[in-house]
Amino acid sequence: MPARFTLRVAMMAAERRGGNLSRMLRNENQAEFLEDVCWLAVEMIKAGAALRERETGMLTQEIPTVDGLLDSVDFADVMELQAQLLTVINKDKPTVRAEAHGKNGED
């Protein structure tokens, strides 16, 4: 499924945790953390699906719900899901650094 960490998702995530985006994936309250991971996954999939539809006209079928993820993701898989979300959130950072490095003529 497509997933994107758009500015709208970032704003909603920050608002969800009192204006502090970093609290979402580092929350010490385990119940909130588990719900936040599922919530963030759903919102990122919705954003990715919307972008793909605008770009290609292709609809994404069966976007999961928070309750659906809470009922289907095993506790043992939560850290893997969190890692996948962080990969999507940070996806452009190495590319941007590499391009900036190459532009300056430094190798």
Coordinates of all heavy atoms in Angstrom, one line a residue:
M1 N 0.8 -1.2 0.0 CA 0.0 0.0 0.0 C 0.9 1.2 0.0 O 1.9 1.3 0.7 CB -0.9 0.0 1.2 CG -2.0 -0.9 1.2 SD -3.1 -0.7 2.6 CE -4.1 -2.1 2.3
P2 N 0.5 2.3 -0.7 CA 1.2 3.5 -0.7 C 1.2 4.2 0.7 O 0.2 4.1 1.4 CB 0.5 4.3 -1.7 CG -0.9 3.9 -1.7 CD -0.8 2.4 -1.4
A3 N 2.2 4.8 1.1 CA 2.2 5.6 2.3 C 3.1 6.8 2.1 O 4.1 6.8 1.5 CB 2.8 4.7 3.5
R4 N 2.6 7.9 2.6 CA 3.3 9.2 2.6 C 3.2 10.0 3.9 O 2.1 10.0 4.5 CB 2.8 10.1 1.4 CG 3.0 9.6 0.0 CD 4.5 9.6 -0.4 NE 5.0 10.9 -0.3 CZ 5.2 11.7 -1.4 NH1 4.8 11.3 -2.6 NH2 5.7 12.9 -1.3
F5 N 4.2 10.6 4.3 CA 4.2 11.5 5.5 C 4.1 12.9 5.0 O 5.1 13.6 4.9 CB 5.5 11.2 6.3 CG 5.4 11.9 7.7 CD1 4.4 11.5 8.6 CD2 6.3 12.9 8.0 CE1 4.4 12.1 9.9 CE2 6.2 13.5 9.2 CZ 5.3 13.1 10.2
T6 N 2.9 13.3 4.7 CA 2.7 14.6 4.1 C 2.7 15.7 5.3 O 2.6 15.3 6.5 CB 1.3 14.7 3.4 OG1 0.3 14.4 4.3 CG2 1.3 13.7 2.2
L7 N 2.7 16.9 4.9 CA 2.6 18.0 5.9 C 1.3 17.9 6.7 O 1.3 18.1 7.9 CB 2.7 19.4 5.2 CG 4.1 19.7 4.6 CD1 4.1 21.0 3.9 CD2 5.2 19.7 5.7
R8 N 0.2 17.5 6.0 CA -1.1 17.4 6.7 C -1.0 16.3 7.8 O -1.4 16.5 8.9 CB -2.2 17.1 5.7 CG -3.6 17.1 6.4 CD -4.7 16.9 5.5 NE -4.7 18.0 4.5 CZ -5.1 19.2 4.6 NH1 -5.5 19.7 5.8 NH2 -5.0 20.1 3.6
V9 N -0.4 15.2 7.4 CA -0.3 14.1 8.4 C 0.6 14.6 9.6 O 0.3 14.3 10.7 CB 0.3 12.8 7.7 CG1 0.6 11.8 8.8 CG2 -0.7 12.3 6.7
A10 N 1.7 15.3 9.3 CA 2.6 15.8 10.3 C 1.9 16.7 11.2 O 2.0 16.7 12.5 CB 3.8 16.4 9.7
M11 N 1.1 17.6 10.7 CA 0.3 18.6 11.5 C -0.7 17.8 12.4 O -0.8 18.2 13.6 CB -0.4 19.6 10.6 CG 0.5 20.6 10.0 SD -0.3 21.7 8.7 CE -1.9 22.0 9.4
M12 N -1.4 16.9 11.8 CA -2.4 16.1 12.6 C -1.7 15.3 13.7 O -2.2 15.3 14.8 CB -3.2 15.2 11.7 CG -4.1 15.9 10.7 SD -5.2 14.9 9.7 CE -4.4 13.4 9.5
A13 N -0.5 14.8 13.4 CA 0.2 14.0 14.4 C 0.7 14.9 15.5 O 0.6 14.6 16.7 CB 1.4 13.3 13.8
A14 N 1.2 16.1 15.2 CA 1.6 17.0 16.2 C 0.4 17.5 17.1 O 0.6 17.5 18.3 CB 2.3 18.2 15.6
E15 N -0.7 17.8 16.5 CA -1.9 18.2 17.2 C -2.3 17.1 18.1 O -2.8 17.4 19.2 CB -3.0 18.6 16.3 CG -2.7 19.9 15.6 CD -3.7 20.3 14.5 OE1 -4.7 19.5 14.3 OE2 -3.6 21.3 13.8
R16 N -2.2 15.9 17.7 CA -2.7 14.7 18.5 C -1.9 14.6 19.8 O -2.5 14.2 20.8 CB -2.5 13.5 17.6 CG -3.0 12.2 18.2 CD -2.8 11.1 17.2 NE -3.1 9.8 17.8 CZ -4.3 9.2 17.8 NH1 -5.4 9.8 17.2 NH2 -4.5 8.0 18.3
R17 N -0.7 15.0 19.8 CA 0.1 15.0 21.0 C 0.5 16.3 21.5 O 1.7 16.6 21.9 CB 1.4 14.1 20.8 CG 1.1 12.7 20.6 CD 0.7 12.1 21.9 NE -0.2 10.9 21.7 CZ -1.4 10.8 22.3 NH1 -1.8 11.7 23.1 NH2 -2.1 9.7 22.0
G18 N -0.4 17.3 21.5 CA -0.2 18.6 22.1 C 0.8 19.4 21.4 O 1.5 20.2 22.1
G19 N 1.0 19.3 20.1 CA 1.9 20.1 19.4 C 3.3 19.6 19.3 O 4.2 20.2 18.8
N20 N 3.5 18.4 19.8 CA 4.9 17.8 19.9 C 4.9 16.5 19.1 O 4.6 15.4 19.6 CB 5.3 17.5 21.3 CG 6.7 17.1 21.5 OD1 7.3 16.7 20.5 ND2 7.2 17.2 22.7
L21 N 5.3 16.6 17.8 CA 5.4 15.5 16.9 C 6.2 14.3 17.4 O 5.9 13.2 17.3 CB 5.8 15.9 15.5 CG 5.9 14.9 14.4 CD1 4.5 14.3 14.2 CD2 6.4 15.6 13.2
S22 N 7.4 14.7 18.0 CA 8.3 13.6 18.5 C 7.7 12.7 19.6 O 8.1 11.6 19.8 CB 9.6 14.2 18.9 OG 9.4 15.0 20.1
R23 N 6.7 13.3 20.3 CA 6.1 12.5 21.4 C 5.3 11.3 20.8 O 5.1 10.3 21.5 CB 5.1 13.3 22.2 CG 5.8 14.1 23.3 CD 4.8 14.8 24.2 NE 3.9 13.8 24.9 CZ 2.7 14.1 25.3 NH1 2.2 15.3 25.1 NH2 1.9 13.2 25.9
M24 N 4.9 11.4 19.6 CA 4.0 10.3 19.0 C 4.7 9.0 19.0 O 4.2 8.0 19.4 CB 3.5 10.7 17.7 CG 2.7 9.6 17.0 SD 1.7 10.1 15.7 CE 0.3 10.8 16.6
L25 N 5.9 8.9 18.5 CA 6.6 7.7 18.4 C 7.6 7.4 19.5 O 8.3 6.4 19.5 CB 7.3 7.6 17.0 CG 6.4 7.6 15.8 CD1 7.2 7.6 14.5 CD2 5.5 6.3 15.8
R26 N 7.6 8.2 20.5 CA 8.4 8.0 21.7 C 7.6 8.0 23.0 O 8.1 8.3 24.0 CB 9.5 9.1 21.8 CG 10.5 8.9 20.7 CD 11.7 9.9 20.8 NE 12.6 9.8 19.8 CZ 12.6 10.6 18.7 NH1 11.8 11.6 18.7 NH2 13.5 10.5 17.8
N27 N 6.3 7.8 22.8 CA 5.4 7.9 23.9 C 5.6 6.8 24.9 O 5.7 5.6 24.6 CB 3.9 7.8 23.4 CG 2.9 8.3 24.4 OD1 3.1 8.2 25.6 ND2 1.8 8.8 24.0
E28 N 5.8 7.2 26.2 CA 6.0 6.2 27.3 C 4.8 5.5 27.7 O 4.8 4.4 28.3 CB 6.7 6.9 28.4 CG 8.1 7.3 28.1 CD 8.8 8.0 29.2 OE1 8.4 7.9 30.4 OE2 9.8 8.7 29.0
N29 N 3.6 6.0 27.4 CA 2.3 5.4 27.7 C 2.1 4.3 26.7 O 1.8 4.6 25.5 CB 1.2 6.4 27.8 CG -0.1 5.8 28.1 OD1 -0.5 4.8 27.5 ND2 -0.8 6.4 29.0
Q30 N 2.2 3.0 27.0 CA 2.2 2.0 26.0 C 0.9 1.9 25.2 O 0.8 1.7 24.0 CB 2.5 0.6 26.6 CG 4.0 0.5 26.9 CD 4.3 -0.9 27.5 OE1 3.4 -1.7 27.8 NE2 5.6 -1.2 27.5
A31 N -0.2 2.1 25.9 CA -1.5 2.1 25.2 C -1.6 3.2 24.2 O -2.1 3.0 23.1 CB -2.7 2.2 26.3
E32 N -1.2 4.4 24.6 CA -1.2 5.5 23.6 C -0.2 5.3 22.5 O -0.5 5.5 21.3 CB -0.9 6.8 24.3 CG -2.0 7.4 25.2 CD -1.6 8.7 25.9 OE1 -0.4 9.2 25.7 OE2 -2.4 9.2 26.6
F33 N 0.9 4.7 22.8 CA 1.9 4.4 21.8 C 1.4 3.5 20.7 O 1.5 3.7 19.5 CB 3.2 3.9 22.4 CG 4.2 3.3 21.4 CD1 5.0 4.2 20.7 CD2 4.3 2.0 21.2 CE1 5.9 3.7 19.7 CE2 5.2 1.4 20.3 CZ 6.0 2.3 19.5
L34 N 0.8 2.4 21.2 CA 0.2 1.4 20.3 C -0.9 2.0 19.4 O -0.9 1.7 18.2 CB -0.3 0.2 21.0 CG 0.8 -0.6 21.8 CD1 0.1 -1.6 22.7 CD2 1.8 -1.3 20.9
E35 N -1.8 2.7 20.0 CA -2.8 3.4 19.2 C -2.2 4.4 18.2 O -2.6 4.5 17.1 CB -3.8 4.0 20.1 CG -5.0 4.6 19.3 CD -6.1 5.2 20.1 OE1 -6.0 5.1 21.4 OE2 -7.1 5.6 19.6
D36 N -1.2 5.2 18.7 CA -0.6 6.2 17.8 C 0.1 5.5 16.6 O 0.0 6.1 15.5 CB 0.4 7.0 18.6 CG -0.2 8.0 19.5 OD1 -1.4 8.3 19.4 OD2 0.5 8.6 20.4
V37 N 0.8 4.4 16.8 CA 1.5 3.7 15.7 C 0.4 3.3 14.6 O 0.6 3.6 13.4 CB 2.3 2.5 16.2 CG1 2.7 1.7 15.0 CG2 3.5 3.0 16.9
C38 N -0.7 2.7 15.1 CA -1.7 2.3 14.2 C -2.4 3.5 13.5 O -2.6 3.5 12.3 CB -2.8 1.4 14.9 SG -2.1 -0.2 15.4
W39 N -2.7 4.6 14.3 CA -3.3 5.8 13.7 C -2.4 6.4 12.7 O -2.8 6.7 11.6 CB -3.5 6.8 14.9 CG -4.1 8.1 14.4 CD1 -5.4 8.4 14.1 CD2 -3.3 9.2 14.0 NE1 -5.5 9.7 13.7 CE2 -4.2 10.2 13.6 CE3 -2.0 9.5 14.0 CZ2 -3.8 11.5 13.1 CZ3 -1.6 10.8 13.5 CH2 -2.5 11.7 13.1
L40 N -1.1 6.5 13.0 CA -0.2 7.1 12.0 C -0.1 6.3 10.8 O 0.0 6.8 9.7 CB 1.2 7.3 12.7 CG 2.3 8.0 11.9 CD1 1.8 9.4 11.5 CD2 3.6 8.1 12.6
A41 N 0.0 5.0 10.9 CA 0.0 4.1 9.7 C -1.2 4.3 8.8 O -1.1 4.5 7.6 CB 0.1 2.6 10.1
V42 N -2.4 4.4 9.4 CA -3.6 4.6 8.6 C -3.6 6.0 7.9 O -3.9 6.1 6.8 CB -4.9 4.5 9.5 CG1 -6.1 5.0 8.8 CG2 -5.0 3.0 10.0
E43 N -3.2 7.0 8.7 CA -3.1 8.4 8.1 C -2.1 8.5 6.9 O -2.3 9.1 5.9 CB -2.9 9.4 9.1 CG -4.0 9.6 10.1 CD -5.4 9.9 9.5 OE1 -5.4 10.7 8.5 OE2 -6.4 9.3 9.9
M44 N -1.0 7.8 7.1 CA 0.1 7.8 6.1 C -0.4 7.0 4.8 O -0.1 7.4 3.7 CB 1.4 7.3 6.6 CG 2.0 8.3 7.6 SD 3.5 7.6 8.5 CE 4.6 7.3 7.1
I45 N -1.1 5.9 5.0 CA -1.7 5.2 3.9 C -2.7 6.0 3.2 O -2.8 6.0 2.0 CB -2.2 3.8 4.4 CG1 -1.1 2.9 4.8 CG2 -3.0 3.1 3.3 CD1 -1.5 1.7 5.6
K46 N -3.6 6.7 4.0 CA -4.6 7.5 3.3 C -3.9 8.6 2.5 O -4.4 8.9 1.4 CB -5.5 8.2 4.4 CG -6.5 7.3 5.1 CD -7.2 8.2 6.1 CE -8.2 7.4 7.0 NZ -8.8 8.3 8.0
A47 N -2.9 9.2 3.0 CA -2.2 10.3 2.3 C -1.5 9.7 1.0 O -1.6 10.3 -0.1 CB -1.1 11.0 3.2
G48 N -0.9 8.6 1.1 CA -0.3 7.9 0.0 C -1.3 7.5 -1.1 O -1.1 7.7 -2.3
A49 N -2.4 7.0 -0.6 CA -3.5 6.6 -1.6 C -4.1 7.9 -2.3 O -4.3 7.8 -3.5 CB -4.6 5.9 -0.8
A50 N -4.2 9.0 -1.6 CA -4.8 10.2 -2.2 C -3.8 10.7 -3.2 O -4.2 11.1 -4.3 CB -5.0 11.2 -1.1
L51 N -2.5 10.7 -2.9 CA -1.5 11.2 -3.9 C -1.5 10.3 -5.1 O -1.4 10.8 -6.2 CB -0.1 11.3 -3.2 CG 1.0 11.8 -4.1 CD1 0.7 13.2 -4.5 CD2 2.3 11.7 -3.4
R52 N -1.5 9.0 -4.9 CA -1.4 8.1 -6.0 C -2.7 8.2 -6.9 O -2.6 8.2 -8.1 CB -1.3 6.6 -5.5 CG -1.2 5.6 -6.7 CD -0.8 4.3 -6.3 NE -1.9 3.6 -5.7 CZ -1.9 2.3 -5.3 NH1 -0.8 1.6 -5.4 NH2 -2.9 1.8 -4.7
E53 N -3.8 8.5 -6.3 CA -5.0 8.7 -7.1 C -4.9 10.0 -7.9 O -5.3 10.0 -9.1 CB -6.3 8.7 -6.2 CG -7.5 8.9 -7.0 CD -8.8 8.9 -6.1 OE1 -8.7 8.6 -4.9 OE2 -9.9 9.2 -6.6
R54 N -4.4 11.0 -7.3 CA -4.2 12.3 -8.1 C -3.3 12.1 -9.2 O -3.4 12.7 -10.3 CB -3.8 13.4 -7.1 CG -4.9 14.0 -6.3 CD -4.4 15.3 -5.7 NE -3.2 15.2 -4.8 CZ -3.2 14.9 -3.5 NH1 -4.3 14.6 -2.9 NH2 -2.1 14.8 -2.9
E55 N -2.2 11.4 -9.0 CA -1.1 11.2 -10.0 C -1.4 10.2 -11.1 O -1.1 10.4 -12.2 CB 0.2 10.8 -9.3 CG 0.8 12.0 -8.5 CD 2.1 11.5 -7.8 OE1 2.4 10.3 -7.7 OE2 2.8 12.4 -7.3
T56 N -2.1 9.1 -10.7 CA -2.3 8.1 -11.7 C -3.8 7.7 -11.9 O -4.1 7.0 -12.8 CB -1.6 6.8 -11.2 OG1 -2.3 6.3 -10.0 CG2 -0.2 7.0 -10.9
G57 N -4.7 8.2 -11.1 CA -6.1 7.9 -11.2 C -6.4 6.5 -10.6 O -7.5 6.0 -10.6
M58 N -5.4 5.9 -10.0 CA -5.5 4.5 -9.5 C -6.0 4.6 -8.0 O -5.4 5.3 -7.2 CB -4.2 3.8 -9.5 CG -4.2 2.4 -9.4 SD -2.6 1.8 -10.0 CE -2.2 0.7 -8.7
L59 N -7.1 3.9 -7.7 CA -7.7 3.9 -6.4 C -7.0 2.8 -5.6 O -6.7 1.7 -6.1 CB -9.2 3.6 -6.4 CG -10.1 4.7 -7.1 CD1 -11.5 4.2 -7.2 CD2 -10.0 6.0 -6.3
T60 N -6.9 3.1 -4.3 CA -6.3 2.1 -3.3 C -7.5 1.4 -2.7 O -8.4 2.0 -2.1 CB -5.5 2.7 -2.3 OG1 -4.4 3.4 -2.9 CG2 -4.9 1.7 -1.3
Q61 N -7.6 0.1 -2.8 CA -8.7 -0.7 -2.2 C -8.4 -1.0 -0.8 O -7.2 -1.3 -0.4 CB -8.9 -2.0 -3.0 CG -9.2 -1.7 -4.5 CD -10.5 -1.0 -4.7 OE1 -11.5 -1.2 -4.0 NE2 -10.5 -0.1 -5.6
E62 N -9.4 -1.0 0.0 CA -9.3 -1.5 1.4 C -8.2 -0.9 2.3 O -7.3 -1.5 2.7 CB -9.2 -3.0 1.4 CG -10.3 -3.7 0.8 CD -10.2 -5.2 0.9 OE1 -9.7 -5.7 1.9 OE2 -10.7 -5.9 -0.1
I63 N -8.3 0.4 2.5 CA -7.4 1.1 3.4 C -7.8 0.7 4.8 O -9.0 0.7 5.2 CB -7.5 2.7 3.2 CG1 -7.0 3.1 1.8 CG2 -6.8 3.4 4.3 CD1 -7.2 4.5 1.5
P64 N -6.8 0.2 5.6 CA -7.1 -0.3 6.9 C -7.7 0.8 7.8 O -7.4 2.0 7.6 CB -5.8 -0.8 7.4 CG -4.8 -0.1 6.7 CD -5.4 0.2 5.3
T65 N -8.3 0.4 8.9 CA -8.8 1.4 9.9 C -7.9 1.2 11.1 O -7.2 0.2 11.2 CB -10.2 1.1 10.3 OG1 -10.3 -0.2 10.9 CG2 -11.2 1.2 9.1
V66 N -7.9 2.1 12.0 CA -7.2 2.0 13.3 C -7.6 0.7 14.0 O -6.8 -0.1 14.5 CB -7.3 3.3 14.2 CG1 -6.6 3.0 15.5 CG2 -6.7 4.5 13.5
D67 N -8.9 0.6 14.2 CA -9.4 -0.6 14.9 C -9.0 -1.9 14.2 O -8.7 -2.9 14.8 CB -10.9 -0.6 15.0 CG -11.4 0.4 16.1 OD1 -10.6 0.7 17.0 OD2 -12.6 0.9 16.0
G68 N -9.0 -1.9 12.8 CA -8.6 -3.0 12.1 C -7.2 -3.4 12.3 O -6.8 -4.6 12.5
L69 N -6.3 -2.4 12.4 CA -4.9 -2.7 12.7 C -4.7 -3.1 14.1 O -3.9 -4.0 14.4 CB -4.0 -1.4 12.4 CG -3.8 -1.1 11.0 CD1 -2.9 0.2 10.8 CD2 -3.2 -2.2 10.2
L70 N -5.4 -2.5 15.1 CA -5.3 -2.9 16.5 C -5.7 -4.3 16.7 O -5.2 -5.0 17.5 CB -6.1 -2.0 17.4 CG -5.6 -0.6 17.6 CD1 -6.7 0.3 18.2 CD2 -4.3 -0.6 18.4
D71 N -6.6 -4.8 15.8 CA -7.1 -6.2 15.9 C -6.3 -7.2 15.1 O -6.4 -8.4 15.4 CB -8.6 -6.3 15.5 CG -9.5 -5.6 16.5 OD1 -9.2 -5.5 17.6 OD2 -10.6 -5.2 16.0
S72 N -5.4 -6.7 14.2 CA -4.7 -7.6 13.4 C -3.2 -7.6 13.5 O -2.6 -8.6 13.1 CB -5.1 -7.4 11.9 OG -4.7 -6.1 11.5
V73 N -2.6 -6.5 14.0 CA -1.2 -6.5 14.2 C -0.8 -7.1 15.5 O -1.3 -6.8 16.5 CB -0.7 -5.0 14.1 CG1 0.8 -4.9 14.4 CG2 -1.0 -4.4 12.8
D74 N 0.1 -8.1 15.4 CA 0.6 -8.7 16.6 C 1.5 -7.8 17.4 O 2.3 -7.0 16.8 CB 1.4 -10.0 16.3 CG 0.5 -11.1 15.7 OD1 -0.7 -11.1 16.0 OD2 1.0 -11.9 14.8
F75 N 1.5 -7.9 18.7 CA 2.3 -7.1 19.5 C 3.8 -7.2 19.1 O 4.6 -6.3 19.1 CB 2.1 -7.5 21.0 CG 2.9 -6.6 22.0 CD1 2.4 -5.3 22.2 CD2 4.1 -6.9 22.5 CE1 3.1 -4.4 23.1 CE2 4.8 -6.1 23.4 CZ 4.3 -4.8 23.7
A76 N 4.2 -8.4 18.8 CA 5.6 -8.7 18.4 C 6.0 -7.9 17.1 O 7.2 -7.7 16.9 CB 5.8 -10.2 18.2
D77 N 5.0 -7.5 16.3 CA 5.3 -6.8 15.1 C 5.2 -5.3 15.2 O 5.5 -4.6 14.2 CB 4.3 -7.3 14.0 CG 4.4 -8.7 13.7 OD1 5.6 -9.2 13.8 OD2 3.4 -9.4 13.4
V78 N 4.9 -4.8 16.3 CA 4.8 -3.3 16.5 C 6.1 -2.6 16.2 O 6.1 -1.6 15.5 CB 4.3 -3.0 17.9 CG1 4.3 -1.5 18.2 CG2 2.9 -3.5 18.1
M79 N 7.2 -3.1 16.7 CA 8.5 -2.4 16.4 C 8.8 -2.4 14.9 O 9.4 -1.4 14.4 CB 9.6 -3.1 17.2 CG 9.4 -3.0 18.8 SD 8.9 -1.4 19.4 CE 10.4 -0.5 19.3
E80 N 8.5 -3.5 14.2 CA 8.7 -3.5 12.8 C 7.8 -2.5 12.1 O 8.3 -1.8 11.2 CB 8.4 -4.9 12.2 CG 8.7 -5.0 10.7 CD 8.4 -6.4 10.2 OE1 8.5 -7.4 11.0 OE2 8.2 -6.5 9.0
L81 N 6.6 -2.4 12.5 CA 5.7 -1.4 11.9 C 6.2 0.0 12.2 O 6.2 0.9 11.3 CB 4.3 -1.5 12.5 CG 3.2 -0.5 12.0 CD1 3.1 -0.5 10.5 CD2 1.9 -0.8 12.7
Q82 N 6.7 0.3 13.4 CA 7.2 1.6 13.7 C 8.4 1.9 12.9 O 8.6 3.0 12.3 CB 7.6 1.6 15.2 CG 8.2 3.0 15.6 CD 8.8 3.0 17.0 OE1 9.3 1.9 17.5 NE2 8.9 4.1 17.6
A83 N 9.3 0.9 12.6 CA 10.5 1.1 11.8 C 10.1 1.4 10.4 O 10.7 2.2 9.7 CB 11.4 -0.2 11.8
Q84 N 9.0 0.7 9.9 CA 8.6 1.0 8.5 C 8.0 2.4 8.4 O 8.3 3.1 7.4 CB 7.5 -0.1 8.1 CG 8.1 -1.4 7.9 CD 7.0 -2.5 7.6 OE1 5.8 -2.2 7.8 NE2 7.4 -3.7 7.3
L85 N 7.3 2.8 9.4 CA 6.8 4.2 9.4 C 7.9 5.2 9.4 O 7.9 6.2 8.6 CB 5.9 4.5 10.6 CG 4.6 3.7 10.7 CD1 3.9 3.9 12.0 CD2 3.7 4.0 9.5
L86 N 8.9 5.0 10.2 CA 10.1 5.9 10.3 C 10.9 5.9 8.9 O 11.4 6.9 8.5 CB 11.0 5.5 11.4 CG 10.5 5.8 12.8 CD1 11.3 5.2 13.9 CD2 10.3 7.3 13.0
T87 N 10.9 4.7 8.3 CA 11.6 4.7 6.9 C 10.8 5.6 6.0 O 11.5 6.3 5.2 CB 11.6 3.2 6.4 OG1 12.4 2.4 7.3 CG2 12.1 3.1 5.0
V88 N 9.5 5.5 6.0 CA 8.7 6.4 5.1 C 8.9 7.9 5.5 O 9.1 8.7 4.6 CB 7.2 6.0 5.1 CG1 6.4 7.0 4.3 CG2 7.0 4.6 4.5
I89 N 8.9 8.2 6.8 CA 9.0 9.5 7.3 C 10.4 10.1 6.9 O 10.5 11.3 6.4 CB 8.8 9.6 8.8 CG1 7.4 9.3 9.2 CG2 9.3 10.9 9.3 CD1 7.2 9.1 10.6
N90 N 11.4 9.3 6.9 CA 12.8 9.8 6.7 C 13.3 9.5 5.3 O 14.5 9.6 5.0 CB 13.7 9.2 7.7 CG 13.5 9.7 9.1 OD1 13.2 10.8 9.3 ND2 13.4 8.7 10.0
K91 N 12.4 9.0 4.4 CA 12.8 8.5 3.1 C 13.7 9.4 2.2 O 14.5 8.9 1.5 CB 11.6 8.0 2.3 CG 10.8 9.2 1.7 CD 9.7 8.6 0.8 CE 8.9 9.7 0.2 NZ 9.5 10.5 -0.8
D92 N 13.5 10.7 2.3 CA 14.3 11.6 1.4 C 15.6 12.1 2.0 O 16.4 12.6 1.3 CB 13.4 12.8 1.0 CG 12.3 12.4 0.1 OD1 12.4 11.4 -0.6 OD2 11.3 13.1 0.1
K93 N 15.8 11.9 3.2 CA 17.0 12.5 3.8 C 18.3 12.0 3.2 O 19.2 12.8 2.9 CB 17.0 12.3 5.3 CG 15.9 13.1 6.0 CD 15.9 13.0 7.5 CE 14.8 13.9 8.0 NZ 14.8 13.9 9.5
P94 N 18.6 10.7 3.0 CA 19.9 10.3 2.4 C 20.0 10.8 1.0 O 21.1 11.3 0.6 CB 19.8 8.8 2.5 CG 18.8 8.5 3.5 CD 17.8 9.6 3.5
T95 N 18.9 10.8 0.2 CA 19.0 11.3 -1.1 C 19.3 12.8 -1.2 O 20.2 13.2 -2.0 CB 17.6 11.1 -1.8 OG1 17.3 9.7 -1.8 CG2 17.7 11.5 -3.3
V96 N 18.7 13.6 -0.3 CA 19.0 15.0 -0.3 C 20.4 15.3 0.1 O 21.1 16.1 -0.6 CB 18.0 15.7 0.7 CG1 18.4 17.2 0.9 CG2 16.6 15.7 0.2
R97 N 20.9 14.6 1.1 CA 22.3 14.8 1.4 C 23.3 14.4 0.3 O 24.2 15.1 0.0 CB 22.6 14.0 2.7 CG 22.2 14.6 3.9 CD 22.8 13.9 5.2 NE 21.7 13.7 6.1 CZ 21.2 12.6 6.5 NH1 21.8 11.5 6.1 NH2 20.2 12.5 7.3
A98 N 23.0 13.3 -0.4 CA 23.8 12.8 -1.5 C 23.8 13.8 -2.6 O 24.8 14.1 -3.2 CB 23.4 11.5 -1.9
E99 N 22.6 14.4 -2.9 CA 22.6 15.4 -4.0 C 23.3 16.6 -3.7 O 24.0 17.2 -4.4 CB 21.1 15.6 -4.4 CG 20.4 14.5 -5.1 CD 18.9 14.8 -5.3 OE1 18.4 15.8 -4.9 OE2 18.3 13.9 -5.8
A100 N 23.1 17.1 -2.4 CA 23.8 18.3 -2.0 C 25.3 18.1 -2.0 O 26.1 18.9 -2.4 CB 23.3 18.7 -0.6
H101 N 25.7 16.9 -1.6 CA 27.1 16.6 -1.5 C 27.7 16.6 -3.0 O 28.8 17.2 -3.2 CB 27.3 15.2 -0.9 CG 28.7 14.8 -0.8 ND1 29.6 15.3 0.1 CD2 29.5 13.8 -1.5 CE1 30.8 14.8 0.0 NE2 30.7 13.9 -0.9
G102 N 27.0 16.0 -3.9 CA 27.5 16.0 -5.3 C 27.5 17.4 -6.0 O 28.3 17.7 -6.8
K103 N 26.6 18.2 -5.6 CA 26.5 19.6 -6.2 C 27.7 20.4 -5.8 O 28.1 21.3 -6.5 CB 25.2 20.3 -5.7 CG 24.0 19.7 -6.4 CD 22.7 20.5 -6.0 CE 21.5 19.9 -6.6 NZ 20.3 20.5 -6.1
N104 N 28.2 20.2 -4.6 CA 29.3 21.0 -4.2 C 30.7 20.5 -4.7 O 31.7 21.1 -4.5 CB 29.4 21.0 -2.6 CG 28.3 21.7 -2.0 OD1 27.7 22.6 -2.6 ND2 27.9 21.3 -0.8
G105 N 30.6 19.4 -5.5 CA 31.8 18.9 -6.1 C 32.7 18.1 -5.1 O 33.8 17.8 -5.4
E106 N 32.1 17.8 -3.9 CA 32.9 17.0 -2.9 C 32.5 15.6 -3.1 O 31.4 15.2 -3.1 CB 32.6 17.5 -1.5 CG 32.9 19.0 -1.3 CD 32.3 19.5 0.0 OE1 32.7 19.1 1.0 OE2 31.4 20.3 0.0
D107 N 33.5 14.7 -3.2 CA 33.2 13.3 -3.2 C 33.8 12.5 -2.1 O 34.7 12.8 -1.5 CB 33.6 12.7 -4.6 CG 32.8 13.3 -5.7 OD1 31.6 13.4 -5.5 OD2 33.4 13.5 -6.8

